């Protein structure tokens, strides 16, 4: 099995002959499939990388990776924490802290740990850290415990070998281990109380925290003794928390930011002609979805006919075209670009027609339905909400859009059980296996939606059937059946994939960024970024 760095080194070599004057990285073409950009290894190590993000890690869960629930938290934590396996280009599973693994049976995984790995305090990572981390995750309250699947036991076989035994086959297992909540933690320090993970980052990753001001900024410094030779390349990574999209775009233009993730689908046009800013849409599995609260004391959506009518009236191709500039795609519960994903055009809601939606509202006595839709201000969410509003007006439903900052939105949607909002718009990170994100349709396992979603036993069975089925025609059929069950349940309604635009200054940074991303994390290869400051 190849080293995690081999593909990057080959790509860098391919680029060397075409390096632009002054050491800036040229645009990446077909020579490097799977990447939007690959860092130019000829640029000397050192310097500072300036990043900007819209939100900080929340104060409620703190810095504990196992409690991290959203992509923005994963982005920051990934600078200091690492996992047994990692997501490579094209959703390939690559070695991480495990240099190799074997699957003696569909329910057994044996990992051989990489030698020479230490935590940031200098202590060597051991098999005991891996075992303790996984047992802590499975016994904890983090939502990711549902994603790692039916783990029956985690056992140390020797100082460098760990075995996982599953209760039943679980196809997404490796993909679930590749995300930050499954990171290997310093369990000696956790167990003896010398480290509080909610307040301190202590991982095996390339950077350590040097300073943090909540909701303002982070400063990360290069970690001495990192296990990958020659990495990290940059001395310092600064991260500014900048909620306003236009401010982040302006920072790229005035050189105060090297790289930023943008939701503005017009960004490629805005920066067109600026030869110092490279702007590239990244294919992401993330997608927007509509939440209809069926648990509020005065819920308007208890009747499935009302939910089905709303689902039928949503014109996903129009949402993709108008709200995302054609960068997003209609999707079902399985992210549309992942292998085996269902075809949204074949779902019941896509073929029923508006007259059927109106008929269902009449039967339910809901012809004059009106409700509020809570959204946050990050682009293109407001545009998505406006098209949803227009779609539902066609069947006589009046929607009032309530636009909030992300903190206030989270408080309204997740702050009470039962929740009191009518409906809300959000997005899921789509992950790297088509069976992963649909697990959130089981509120008993997910937890975060227990306040607004009722459990559906038939749907829960469809979720389990998908992930117990191996790849191939049988799993594809199971995924289509799962999408149909989600479509008919219509408590959380998938809409369109969420466009992500990566923008960076070629005169200030040479980054490595995947062309496709499943965990909403453009900084997976942050150790390779080359600073030109």
């Amino acid at each position: 099995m190849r080293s995690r760095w081999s593909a990057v080194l080959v790509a860098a070599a391919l680029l060397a002959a075409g390096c632009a004057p002054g050491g800036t990285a040229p645009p990446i073409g077909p020579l490097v499939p799977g990447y939007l950009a690959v860092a130019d290894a000829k640029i000397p190590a050192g310097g500072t990388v300036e990043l900007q993000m819209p939100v900080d890690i929340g104060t409620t869960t703190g810095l504990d990776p196992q409690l991290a629930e959203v992509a923005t938290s994963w982005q920051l934590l990934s600078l200091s924490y690492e996992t047994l396996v990692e997501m490579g280009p094209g959703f390939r599973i690559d070695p991480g802290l495990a240099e190799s693994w074997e699957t003696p049976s569909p329910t057994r995984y044996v990992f051989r740990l990489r030698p020479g790995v230490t935590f940031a305090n200098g202590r060597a990572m051991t098999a005991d850290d891996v075992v303790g981390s996984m047992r802590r995750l499975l016994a904890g309250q983090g939502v990711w415990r549902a994603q790692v699947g039916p783990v029956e036991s985690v056992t140390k076989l020797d100082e460098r070998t760990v075995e996982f035994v599953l209760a039943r086959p679980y196809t997404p297992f490796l993909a679930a281990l590749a995300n930050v909540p499954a990171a290997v933690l310093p369990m000696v320090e956790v167990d003896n109380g010398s480290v509080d993970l909610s307040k301190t980052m202590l991982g095996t990753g390339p950077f350590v925290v040097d300073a943090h001001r909540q909701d303002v900024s982070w400063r990360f410094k290069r970690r001495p003794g990192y296990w990958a030779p020659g990495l990290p390349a940059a001395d310092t990574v600064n991260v500014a928390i900048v909620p306003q999209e236009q401010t982040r775009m302006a920072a790229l233009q005035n050189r105060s930011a090297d790289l930023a993730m943008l939701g503005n689908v017009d960004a490629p046009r805005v920066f067109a002609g600026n030869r110092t800013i490279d702007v590239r849409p990244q294919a992401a599995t993330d997608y927007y979805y509509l939440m209809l609260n069926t648990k509020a004391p005065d819920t308007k959506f208890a009747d499935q006919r009302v939910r089905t009518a709303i689902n039928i009236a949503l014109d996903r191709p129009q949402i993709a075209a108008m709200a995302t500039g054609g960068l997003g795609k209609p999707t079902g519960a399985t992210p549309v670009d992942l292998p085996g994903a269902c075809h949204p055009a074949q779902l019941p809601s896509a073929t029923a027609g508006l007259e059927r939606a109106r008929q269902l509202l009449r039967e339910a006595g809901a012809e004059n339905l009106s409700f509020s839709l809570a959204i946050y201000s990050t682009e293109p969410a407001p545009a998505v909400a406006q098209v949803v509003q227009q779609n539902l007006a066609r069947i006589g439903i009046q929607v009032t859009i309530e636009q909030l900052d992300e903190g206030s939105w989270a408080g309204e949607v997740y702050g009470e059980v039962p929740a009191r909002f009518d409906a809300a718009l959000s997005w899921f990170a789509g992950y790297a296996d088509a069976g992963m994100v649909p697990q959130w349709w089981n509120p008993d396992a997910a937890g975060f939606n227990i306040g607004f979603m009722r459990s559906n036993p038939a749907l829960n069975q469809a979720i389990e059937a998908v992930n117990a089925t191996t790849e191939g025609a049988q799993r594809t059929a199971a995924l289509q059946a799962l999408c149909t069950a989600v479509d008919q349940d219509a408590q959380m309604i998938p809409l369109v994939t969420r466009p992500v635009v990566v923008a960076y200054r070629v005169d200030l940074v040479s980054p490595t960024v995947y062309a496709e991303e499943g965990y909403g994390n453009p900084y997976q290869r942050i150790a390779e970024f080359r600073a030109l400051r």
Side-chain angles (χ1 to χ4, degrees):
M1 196 169 292
R2 296 188 308 166
S3 162
R4 64 185 286 209
W5 307 111
S6 60
V8 173
L9 295 175
V10 169
L14 288 170
L15 286 170
C19 186
T24 60
I28 303 307
L31 284 177
V32 192
Y35 293 87
L36 290 184
V38 174
D40 183 358
K42 295 197 306 182
I43 298 172
T48 298
V49 174
E50 300 283 350
L51 307 176
Q52 292 196 354
M53 293 175 52
V55 293
D56 202 350
I57 293 176
T59 56
T60 302
T61 57
L63 305 180
D64 190 332
Q66 294 184 349
L67 299 180
E69 299 180 358
V70 296
T72 47
S73 295
W74 304 338
Q75 291 168 14
L76 286 164
L77 291 167
S78 69
L79 274 71
S80 293
Y81 288 102
E82 296 177 307
T83 49
L84 286 175
V85 296
E86 296 189 343
M87 196 58 55
F91 307 112
R92 183 185 70 208
I93 303 296
D94 283 346
L97 295 178
E99 63 180 1
S100 64
W101 62 90
E102 298 175 347
T103 52
S105 77
T107 58
R108 288 181 61 212
Y109 293 78
V110 180
F111 294 90
R112 185 69 172 166
L113 303 183
R114 189 180 296 279
V117 177
T118 61
F119 292 100
N121 63 0
R123 183 178 65 79
M125 182 195 75
T126 68
D128 291 320
D129 291 304
V130 177
V131 171
S133 297
M134 293 303 109
R135 289 177 177 173
R136 181 178 184 266
L137 175 62
L138 294 168
Q141 299 302 310
V143 299
W144 205 252
R145 63 179 177 170
Q147 289 293 350
V148 297
V151 177
E152 198 169 69
S153 65
V154 188
T155 307
K156 170 185 171 181
L157 299 185
D158 61 41
E159 294 303 319
R160 287 186 52 206
T161 311
V162 174
E163 179 186 57
F164 287 71
V165 176
L166 310 185
R168 60 184 180 275
Y170 181 68
T171 302
F173 180 62
L174 289 175
L177 291 185
N179 197 19
V180 168
V184 177
L185 307 178
M187 292 307 299
V188 170
E189 291 78 3
V190 171
D191 289 341
N192 67 24
S194 61
V195 168
D196 181 351
L197 293 182
S198 69
K199 300 177 180 178
T200 303
M201 290 191 198
L202 179 59
T204 63
F207 294 97
V208 294
V209 176
D210 187 53
H212 176 218
R213 295 174 60 201
Q214 183 65 38
D215 298 324
V216 177
S217 64
W218 291 79
R219 183 167 67 245
F220 292 85
K221 291 289 190 180
R222 174 207 299 267
R223 177 170 87 79
Y226 183 56
W227 60 265
L231 295 177
D235 290 331
T236 305
V237 176
N238 292 326
V239 183
I241 308 303
V242 182
Q244 298 80 16
E245 180 99 352
Q246 293 301 321
T247 305
R248 297 198 302 277
M249 294 176 69
L252 287 166
Q253 293 176 312
N254 66 27
R255 296 171 57 91
S256 58
D258 300 347
L259 182 147
M261 303 300 292
L262 305 173
N264 189 328
V265 296
D266 291 327
R269 178 185 57 80
V270 171
F271 291 125
N274 189 330
R275 300 185 63 184
T276 62
I277 300 178
D278 197 352
V279 184
R280 301 191 173 226
Q282 184 182 53
T285 60
D286 310 343
Y287 61 78
Y288 285 102
Y289 66 102
L290 180 66
M291 295 172 273
L292 302 179
N293 184 356
T294 60
K295 281 194 165 182
D298 56 348
T299 178
K300 302 177 180 182
F301 307 114
D303 193 320
Q304 186 174 359
R305 292 171 296 185
V306 174
R307 303 196 305 271
T308 300
I310 290 171
N311 197 12
I312 291 170
L314 293 169
D315 186 338
R316 291 164 180 80
Q318 186 182 65
I319 295 172
M322 296 181 63
T324 76
L327 297 179
K329 299 178 182 179
T331 188
T334 59
V336 67
D337 285 331
L338 285 176
C342 62
H343 300 287
Q346 297 175 5
L347 295 173
S349 64
T351 57
L354 293 180
E355 187 49 46
R356 175 59 178 160
R358 297 186 185 102
Q359 178 187 355
L360 287 169
L361 290 178
R362 289 194 297 271
E363 292 175 0
E367 293 115 315
N368 298 314
L369 179 65
S370 64
F371 64 85
S372 62
L373 175 60
I375 70 168
Y376 43 80
S377 56
T378 306
E379 293 290 347
V384 172
Q386 289 169 8
V387 182
V388 167
Q389 182 186 53
Q390 295 163 12
N391 285 173
L392 297 185
R394 299 180 302 171
I395 60 170
I397 296 177
Q398 180 179 346
V399 177
T400 301
I401 297 173
E402 180 186 13
Q403 186 164 320
L404 306 167
D405 64 80
E406 293 200 22
S408 300
W409 178 93
E412 181 164 328
V413 174
Y414 304 127
E416 293 183 274
V417 177
R420 296 183 179 276
F421 70 93
D422 287 342
L425 180 72
S426 188
W427 61 272
F428 282 131
Y431 311 143
D433 180 276
M436 292 181 70
V437 67
Q439 293 192 84
W440 299 143
W441 267 261
N442 179 351
D444 299 324
F448 72 89
N449 48 5
I450 196 90
F452 59 83
M453 183 177 182
R454 298 187 182 277
S455 186
N456 180 333
L459 177 52
N460 296 344
Q461 289 177 4
I463 295 169
E464 289 189 12
V466 160
N467 290 326
T469 305
T470 57
E471 299 294 345
Q474 186 178 0
R475 189 167 198 248
T476 299
L479 287 165
Q480 188 70 33
L482 171 57
C483 286
T484 299
V486 167
D487 192 67
Q488 293 171 337
D489 181 73
Q491 293 186 76
M492 296 197 304
I493 302 175
L495 298 174
V496 297
T497 57
R498 172 179 170 265
V500 175
V501 177
V502 180
Y504 68 95
R505 292 198 63 106
V506 299
D507 58 337
L508 296 179
V509 67
S510 177
T512 296
V513 181
Y514 293 143
E516 300 169 303
E517 174 55 47
Y519 289 125
N521 185 5
Y523 310 135
Q524 290 204 52
R525 317 306 296 188
I526 187 72
E528 298 148 32
F529 283 31
R530 298 277 170 161
L532 292 162
R533 289 182 182 269

